[in-house]
Amino acid sequence: MKAFIVMLLVFSFMATASEILWLRPDFPPGTFVKGPMKDQGYNDLTRQFLARRLPQYQHNVQTAGYERIIKLMQEHNVCIVGLYKSPQRQRYILYSEPRGVVLPNGLIIRAADREIFSPYMTEQGVDLSSLMKNPELIGGVADGRLYKGPVDSELAKHQKTEHLLRRSGANVFSDLLKMLDLKRIDYTFGFPVELVYQQRLGTISQQIAFLPIEGMPQATPSYIACSRNKWGEQVIGDINKVLRVHRLSPEYLHAYQQWLDTGSRSLHQQISEKYFAR
């Protein structure tokens, strides 16, 4: 019986040459795996946009946490919308051309604690190197997630730091934000769209602030990623053809921009047009 169950699990992650198995975490507002907004996140809508323009494939979806997704990409033929590049990942993951740009991660704190973080503020944003040396301030991060720029480099230096808590799971950002709200941690990291979503939900009792981080880029390219093999090469090649035609179209950009405030939406439009005009 146990062997039969294992066979079923393996089969569920096998993709034929004419099938794309899309993996996704529970990562609002990028992906919604349940509730009234199910399949309406900006990565969900991007996946659906691509699927409509890739009718030669059968498209299926599986939900998993980031750690599980990375493991499955090494073992099976799967894809994901919106995965950061890293030299380590590129050994077994094949990335598309940039599918768009996203506004970068920042530091998320309780608004009432701004004064506590003021010693670490520069004209360019939070000096993360100095901040993370303070053992009195407890940070929380999503294990297995890449934040890019100085965030990842500083996290690498503090892998065994007791005042940095690592959490995993399908809805890890929401859990970290709850910990921040309950004063179990003092800061975490995330995208502005993530924070806008949580604020719209109205589930946070305290006012939350988003602070830019010194050294982070103005925007970061985002990619479609598939398993690195002949199957993945074919799929990524077909995806790139769609992206080249549509990634500046209003319908395509709306999926992400609807989760930005007015000022950020205008900034994102300008950055996107400049980035893809090259």
Side-chain angles (χ1 to χ4, degrees):
M1 182 64 178
K2 185 180 293 185
F4 177 71
I5 293 174
V6 171
M7 288 178 64
L8 284 178
L9 290 172
V10 171
F11 180 76
S12 68
F13 287 104
M14 292 177 64
T16 65
S18 60
E19 176 189 1
I20 300 177
L21 179 57
W22 296 96
L23 300 180
R24 62 172 180 180
D26 185 0
F27 188 63
T31 56
F32 292 92
V33 303
K34 58 186 176 182
M37 291 292 292
K38 183 179 179 181
D39 295 325
Q40 296 303 305
Y42 58 85
N43 285 339
D44 292 320
L45 295 176
T46 299
R47 184 191 73 246
Q48 294 163 29
F49 185 96
L50 292 171
R52 290 194 297 272
R53 289 158 180 82
L54 296 171
Q56 67 270 39
Y57 296 99
Q58 177 184 341
H59 299 268
N60 295 303
V61 183
Q62 290 273 357
T63 301
Y66 273 110
E67 287 181 289
R68 178 68 173 152
I69 286 172
I70 296 302
K71 189 173 188 298
L72 288 169
M73 296 195 79
Q74 299 176 61
E75 301 172 349
H76 303 284
N77 290 343
V78 295
C79 296
I80 180 175
V81 176
L83 189 70
Y84 274 143
K85 277 186 180 182
S86 74
Q88 180 182 7
R89 287 179 177 178
Q90 285 183 277
R91 294 202 301 265
Y92 52 87
I93 294 176
L94 190 64
Y95 289 87
S96 69
E97 296 177 6
R99 57 111 179 195
V101 294
V102 297
L103 301 185
N105 284 288
L107 191 76
I108 298 174
I109 66 170
R110 292 179 292 273
D113 290 345
R114 281 183 180 274
E115 188 173 340
I116 296 174
F117 287 85
S118 62
Y120 308 103
M121 291 298 298
T122 71
E123 291 184 0
Q124 290 75 40
V126 177
D127 178 356
L128 206 55
S129 177
S130 297
L131 168 63
M132 294 186 68
K133 291 176 183 176
N134 185 346
E136 301 299 319
L137 294 174
I138 308 300
V141 299
D143 201 15
R145 174 175 170 177
L146 292 181
Y147 295 96
K148 303 300 284 185
V151 181
D152 289 341
S153 59
E154 288 302 321
L155 291 180
K157 297 176 186 177
H158 294 271
Q159 289 187 4
K160 297 182 180 180
T161 299
E162 292 185 0
H163 60 274
L164 187 65
L165 306 182
R166 298 177 183 272
R167 294 292 182 266
S168 60
N171 56 349
V172 62
F173 179 75
S174 176
D175 291 342
L176 287 168
L177 211 56
K178 289 175 184 176
M179 293 174 69
L180 181 67
D181 195 32
L182 295 171
K183 298 187 177 182
R184 293 175 182 169
I185 59 175
D186 298 301
Y187 63 88
T188 187
F189 304 96
F191 291 115
V193 289
E194 295 177 278
L195 185 55
V196 167
Y197 165 68
Q198 294 294 334
Q199 289 171 328
R200 288 181 185 177
L201 282 181
T203 57
I204 307 170
S205 64
Q206 300 193 47
Q207 292 293 316
I208 303 296
F210 180 92
L211 304 178
I213 295 172
E214 184 180 44
M216 290 294 280
Q218 188 179 35
T220 304
S222 179
Y223 304 88
I224 314 295
C226 296
S227 304
R228 181 176 284 278
N229 52 36
K230 289 186 177 180
W231 172 88
E233 290 175 0
Q234 177 64 50
V235 173
I236 288 294
D238 290 335
I239 288 172
N240 282 339
K241 293 175 184 177
V242 176
L243 293 176
R244 290 167 194 158
V245 175
H246 295 286
R247 60 190 163 197
L248 282 179
S249 69
E251 179 188 356
Y252 183 85
L253 288 173
H254 176 73
Y256 178 75
Q257 290 180 351
Q258 66 178 316
W259 293 101
L260 298 172
D261 59 67
T262 303
S264 297
R265 193 177 304 130
S266 177
L267 175 63
H268 181 264
Q269 183 70 34
Q270 294 172 20
I271 293 173
S272 297
E273 291 174 358
K274 182 178 180 180
Y275 189 92
F276 291 112
R278 294 185 298 182

